[in-house]
Amino acid sequence: MSKRSRNLVSRRELFQTGGAVAAGLAAGQTAHAAPTASPDVFTRIGVRPFINCTATLTINGGSLMFPEVIAAMEQASHYHVDLDELMEGVSKRLAQLLQVDWAIVTAGTAAALTHATSACLVGTDAEKIQRLPMLEGLKDEVIMPRESRNVYDHAVRTLGVKVIEVNSAEELRRAIGPHTAMIEVLGNHFGKANFDLKDVAPIAKEHGIPVLVDAAADYLIVPNPYLALGADLVAYSGGKIIRGPQGAGLLLGRKDLVRAAWANSAPHHSFGRALKVTKEEIAGMLAAVEVWRTGGRDIEADFREWKSWYTHIADRITKVPGVSAEQRGPIRGGPFPTLFVSWDTQKVALTAGDVGRKLLEGEPRIMTHASGDGNSFLIRPVAMKPGDYKVVADRLFEVLSPAGPARKQKTLESPSTNVSGVWEVDIQYEVGAAKHKLFLTANGNQITGTHRGWAYEGDLKGQIDGGQVKLRSTLPADGNVLNYTFAGSVSGSSMTGEVSIGEYGRARWSAVRRTMA
């Protein structure tokens, strides 16, 4: 990372490197020093910031914005402009920088996916724009390769389209029909897939079907590798490795479709009206792209710096007997090196969840991917500040060192009840309720079975310890996977307790057995 990128740019530097929009917005402003960063904006309401070792996760605030981005956003906040005029100017500049037909700034990648879908459904027809998400009389199907499906499919499905899943060229050809509006593929520049853009694009072109690539986690490459392979539209996150505003993204590609996406987004009165991108985020996103393209950005230098951080952390923590650390290269969804930390549970009596909790409870707090009952986790670099790696190394050494020998596994008590059978479950959410079914088979203390929800069904496993049960299930759900952890007590033909549903919170549950296995 260059010295320039580590320090806030001056007004003069902003004029030199921030581009036409940033410079124009800055014109007439009196130069002033950036305020000293203070966590008080959070701590005054009882929220403790942390060192972020999870890189680009939205829930943890994404990666670090470039100083040039912060400066451009601050300058943009002092002026008012017509957003259509602003986007027209920014689009021309982005197209020049990225060597593409056209590009717009969006409210993150998910917004880009939604706007792109709208563009493929209705174009710039004002009447059809007003009808969305009513799809009567419109094409209403989007095709996705099986390997491309993920939790972010929701950004496409939100328009009410039917997702058709395919896994081969033959299946794709059969799936294409009069209702096909678009094909969406997950970006794969940093990984592998059996059925990918290179396979999809030629078939799509034969039938005149536009192809959208979700490249949220990728950094910018010119010429664009996805467009070169035949994609029509590509969506990027601004708040990940590109290091623009956390709430911004990019949609680039075919000029007619990108312009249609803008017509279907805020500030226009359309389905995308809620997905608003501000003038500050637009200016900041342009500044981020300019850093990459004209500011001497060197991603390989970043990689070398991050690897040196990993070397320091690894040298420190592997002094603890049983602890290992391995540097790993970029993969699909994480186009940067990572550090894989693991330990021998016979020598370190901690689960990954224990480590994660201890790091968050200490001072300073450290957020990591350490969770669950395993004995490993990844450290990812993009949100770490220079110097954070030393703190992380020391804290990890402290957490892992005193753990001592592994604890003896607790002996489970004999089950108080044979829980085999069909159980009808009532779940009381904070808002709302649902009825589920559990199909359980007990073998001693071990339980296996099926969890059938209101809409989805998946596998279940768990344990019974005396009169206490713990059941974990995973329900595949339209590209996502819902994880349920039921914990509670059993007495005869009834169970009750609390269920954790990951990011969706907790609920109360009770169950009554209707049939025995």
Side-chain angles (χ1 to χ4, degrees):
M1 186 181 298
S2 67
K3 184 176 180 181
R4 267 183 94 249
S5 294
R6 290 197 183 105
N7 300 286
L8 283 176
V9 293
S10 66
R11 178 172 174 269
R12 179 181 181 84
E13 289 173 320
L14 176 64
F15 271 65
Q16 292 172 338
T17 65
V21 172
L25 292 170
Q29 283 291 93
T30 302
H32 60 277
T36 303
S38 169
D40 183 62
V41 66
F42 298 119
T43 57
R44 68 186 181 86
I45 56 172
V47 177
R48 293 174 61 207
F50 46 67
I51 293 173
N52 184 3
C53 296
T54 66
T56 61
L57 291 187
T58 298
I59 196 170
N60 292 330
S63 59
L64 292 175
M65 289 192 293
F66 288 133
E68 295 90 337
V69 172
I70 298 171
M73 293 178 71
E74 194 276 334
Q75 293 293 333
S77 71
H78 295 284
Y79 297 91
H80 291 87
V81 293
D82 180 287
L83 284 188
D84 280 328
E85 292 180 2
L86 176 61
M87 191 62 78
E88 187 75 11
V90 167
S91 294
K92 289 178 182 177
R93 178 64 172 150
L94 289 172
Q96 176 190 44
L97 289 166
L98 299 175
Q99 297 177 25
V100 297
D101 287 349
W102 208 242
I104 60 172
V105 179
T106 64
T109 311
L113 299 179
T114 299
H115 299 328
T117 305
S118 297
C120 293
L121 290 172
V122 301
T124 53
D125 186 319
E127 288 186 297
K128 292 177 180 177
I129 288 173
Q130 289 305 303
R131 293 279 288 175
L132 289 179
M134 296 173 62
L135 301 179
E136 184 179 356
L138 301 174
K139 295 180 179 181
D140 60 0
E141 293 179 353
V142 172
I143 299 172
M144 296 184 189
R146 183 179 303 164
E147 292 170 281
S148 291
R149 301 218 56 192
N150 61 76
V151 63
Y152 301 104
D153 292 358
H154 220 141
V156 173
R157 292 193 295 110
T158 189
L159 283 149
V161 297
K162 179 181 180 181
V163 173
I164 308 297
E165 191 174 288
V166 298
N167 198 38
S168 67
E170 293 74 19
E171 289 184 8
L172 175 57
R173 290 183 187 279
R174 288 197 300 269
I176 292 175
H179 293 281
T180 305
M182 183 182 81
I183 301 170
E184 192 213 42
V185 180
L186 187 63
N188 194 36
H189 188 71
F190 301 96
K192 296 179 180 179
N194 293 322
F195 185 54
D196 205 0
L197 177 62
K198 68 182 185 302
D199 309 301
V200 169
I203 300 172
K205 187 174 182 180
E206 287 176 24
H207 294 82
I209 307 297
V211 177
L212 166 66
V213 174
D214 176 357
D218 291 10
Y219 53 78
L220 299 170
I221 298 174
V222 177
N224 189 279
Y226 300 114
L227 296 178
L229 285 174
D232 298 278
L233 297 164
V234 187
Y236 292 89
S237 172
K240 297 189 187 299
I241 195 168
I242 296 176
R243 294 180 58 183
Q246 171 64 13
L250 293 171
L251 181 67
L252 52 87
R254 252 177 63 181
K255 187 172 183 178
D256 61 335
L257 289 178
V258 177
R259 290 180 69 88
W262 176 242
N264 279 273
S265 72
H268 313 117
H269 295 92
S270 59
F271 182 83
R273 183 64 177 82
L275 305 175
K276 182 186 298 184
V277 62
T278 67
K279 63 185 182 353
E280 292 82 10
E281 291 167 320
I282 294 170
M285 192 69 247
L286 175 58
V289 175
E290 289 182 319
V291 170
W292 278 88
R293 297 295 297 140
T294 65
R297 191 76 194 147
D298 184 354
I299 190 64
E300 293 300 327
D302 283 347
F303 284 7
R304 289 191 293 273
E305 181 172 38
W306 294 334
K307 288 178 179 178
S308 73
W309 295 356
Y310 294 156
T311 298
H312 178 91
I313 294 171
D315 288 347
R316 180 79 166 121
I317 66 176
T318 54
K319 290 181 170 61
V320 179
V323 175
S324 301
E326 172 193 355
Q327 293 192 30
R328 294 184 173 180
I331 59 172
R332 188 179 197 177
F336 41 75
T338 58
L339 184 67
F340 180 73
V341 178
S342 62
W343 54 93
D344 182 347
T345 55
Q346 295 302 310
K347 296 180 179 179
V348 178
L350 295 171
T351 65
D354 294 332
V355 172
R357 284 189 296 274
K358 288 175 180 290
L359 290 172
L360 268 179
E361 290 168 358
E363 185 60 45
R365 302 180 81 199
I366 299 175
M367 175 62 75
T368 67
H369 290 292
S371 63
D373 297 328
N375 62 319
S376 63
F377 67 97
L378 282 176
I379 291 176
R380 304 166 78 218
V382 189
M384 294 172 65
K385 302 180 182 70
D388 282 351
Y389 69 97
K390 295 179 181 178
V391 179
V392 172
D394 289 343
R395 287 287 312 285
L396 267 176
F397 181 84
E398 292 170 6
V399 167
L400 294 169
S401 291
R407 293 164 290 190
K408 292 183 179 180
Q409 187 172 356
K410 179 181 180 293
T411 301
L412 301 179
E413 296 182 13
S414 298
S416 62
T417 302
N418 181 354
V419 297
S420 297
V422 179
W423 295 77
E424 293 187 356
V425 181
D426 287 305
I427 299 181
Q428 295 292 325
Y429 299 104
E430 186 172 7
V431 177
K435 292 186 179 296
H436 291 209
K437 282 190 176 180
L438 303 179
F439 301 83
L440 306 182
T441 300
N443 182 6
N445 294 103
Q446 305 306 310
I447 303 170
T448 57
T450 300
H451 173 190
R452 181 180 297 167
W454 176 75
Y456 306 107
E457 182 175 310
D459 295 332
L460 172 150
K461 62 181 180 180
Q463 288 184 330
I464 178 169
D465 182 6
Q468 300 298 308
V469 291
K470 192 166 189 178
L471 310 171
R472 294 186 177 91
S473 62
T474 55
L475 276 58
D478 292 299
N480 194 6
V481 175
L482 301 178
N483 296 292
Y484 290 78
T485 301
F486 295 89
S489 58
V490 57
S491 177
S493 292
S494 64
M495 290 191 283
T496 185
E498 187 176 71
V499 55
S500 171
I501 320 160
E503 66 176 294
Y504 305 103
R506 295 178 177 273
R508 298 295 303 175
W509 68 285
S510 60
V512 177
R513 178 163 42 199
R514 294 306 183 195
T515 63
M516 296 289 291

